[in-house]
Amino acid sequence: MSSSPSLWTRLSNPSHFMRWSGTLVPWLTLLSALLLAVGLYLAWFVAPPDYQQGETVRIMFIHVPAAWLGVFFYGAMSLSAIGTLVWRHPLADVAQRAAAPIGAAFTLVCLVTGSLWGKPMWGTYWVWDARLTSMLLLFLIYCGLIALWRTIEDPNRAARAVAILTLVGAVNLPIIKFSVNWWSTLHQPASILRMGGPTIDPSMLYPLLVMIAAATLGGSTLHLYAMRTEVMRRRVRTLTIREAERLDAGRPRVAPAASLPLGQPL
């Protein structure tokens, strides 16, 4: 009596992933667009200006979700790295490779919007603050991982090397989170996830939470799109290699030419 495949086995099957993700992605795209439209409306037309920062505070509604997703995607990549090294899950490296450019893009948005906010508030676009420096390091790690994937041609070797480097770089995540508590920095301390509750006024907090939810859902949808693209890319690569091997096997073998004495004209 044959037993049905386990959930882990089904999840590790790329064909199964392509089926359910193909059904889910259009609905997630629509929901993400609607949630983002609501969040932008609340952020730009409902949330009031800050009594100190004025209209500049609206940068927060882009900056905070981008910072969260930059860290979130690196955390997801670290879990995928464990899946690659420990369980050799077929989709772990796919998920990790698909997440890297998305996480890098959100981290870059975080750095740019933070600089735009810093100019009117601090008088400069950049300071070597602990939080800013650790986020810049996160962006550089993202770029290094993407470059390493492109440097190593063998996919298995590349997956293992990137997984190890990803786990080493994960040490930076708690530094990003607690840098404002461990060191004296210009960056404001945690104002949402903190003991005692959020310090942001509800008129700004709720639009910000909607924007974080919209960015998270939209980023997850982009991740599924990227994973599907990566699976198709690897399938095309496999088919190309097999076709090349088939053509080589059917090609007639040419006997090597007999060696000639040194100086013998050809």
Side-chain angles (χ1 to χ4, degrees), residues 87-138:
W87 294 292
R88 300 184 184 277
H89 196 290
L91 288 176
D93 183 57
V94 171
Q96 188 178 357
R97 186 161 186 167
I102 302 174
F106 279 113
T107 305
L108 180 61
V109 171
C110 166
L111 293 171
V112 171
T113 54
S115 297
L116 294 176
W117 179 88
K119 180 61 176 177
M121 295 298 107
W122 298 340
T124 180
Y125 288 108
W126 182 264
V127 292
W128 291 104
D129 179 274
R131 172 63 65 82
L132 275 66
T133 304
S134 56
M135 283 300 295
L136 176 61
L137 179 60
L138 178 64

Side-chain angles (χ1 to χ4, degrees), residues 187-232:
H187 198 284
Q188 67 183 56
S191 53
I192 300 178
L193 297 177
R194 59 181 296 275
M195 298 295 293
T199 59
I200 303 177
D201 187 81
S203 62
M204 296 182 181
L205 176 62
Y206 295 140
L208 179 59
L209 292 177
V210 173
M211 284 296 295
I212 292 175
T216 303
L217 186 59
S220 301
T221 305
L222 288 175
H223 189 212
L224 283 179
Y225 269 118
M227 285 184 67
R228 289 175 57 83
T229 302
E230 180 64 18
V231 169
M232 294 301 297

Side-chain angles (χ1 to χ4, degrees), residues 8-207:
W8 181 258
T9 302
R10 294 197 302 270
L11 290 177
S12 64
N13 188 332
S15 297
H16 181 75
F17 165 76
M18 294 296 286
R19 284 195 298 271
W20 68 258
S21 62
T23 303
L24 191 60
V25 159
W27 294 102
L28 288 179
T29 303
L30 178 61
L31 183 59
S32 301
L34 292 175
L35 194 59
L36 180 61
V38 173
L40 289 174
Y41 174 78
L42 294 175
W44 293 107
F45 300 107
V46 175
D50 184 72
Y51 76 100
Q52 287 182 326
Q53 303 179 34
E55 297 293 344
T56 310
V57 75
R58 302 193 191 280
I59 299 176
M60 171 186 70
F61 297 108
I62 303 296
H63 175 74
V64 174
W68 151 245
L69 284 178
V71 174
F72 170 80
F73 273 108
Y74 198 91
M77 288 176 62
S78 300
L79 294 177
S80 298
I82 296 174
T84 297
L85 295 174
V86 178
W87 294 292
R88 300 184 184 277
H89 196 290
L91 288 176
D93 183 57
V94 171
Q96 188 178 357
R97 186 161 186 167
I102 302 174
F106 279 113
T107 305
L108 180 61
V109 171
C110 166
L111 293 171
V112 171
T113 54
S115 297
L116 294 176
W117 179 88
K119 180 61 176 177
M121 295 298 107
W122 298 340
T124 180
Y125 288 108
W126 182 264
V127 292
W128 291 104
D129 179 274
R131 172 63 65 82
L132 275 66
T133 304
S134 56
M135 283 300 295
L136 176 61
L137 179 60
L138 178 64
F139 177 70
L140 296 177
I141 293 173
Y142 271 125
C143 294
L145 293 174
I146 295 172
L148 184 59
W149 260 305
R150 296 179 178 274
T151 302
I152 303 176
E153 293 185 2
D154 180 34
N156 293 326
R157 288 182 56 233
R160 289 191 297 269
V162 170
I164 293 172
L165 183 58
T166 299
L167 293 179
V168 172
V171 176
N172 189 43
L173 296 184
I175 296 177
I176 294 174
K177 169 62 180 174
F178 298 108
S179 58
V180 292
N181 304 114
W182 293 344
W183 295 285
S184 177
T185 67
L186 288 176
H187 198 284
Q188 67 183 56
S191 53
I192 300 178
L193 297 177
R194 59 181 296 275
M195 298 295 293
T199 59
I200 303 177
D201 187 81
S203 62
M204 296 182 181
L205 176 62
Y206 295 140

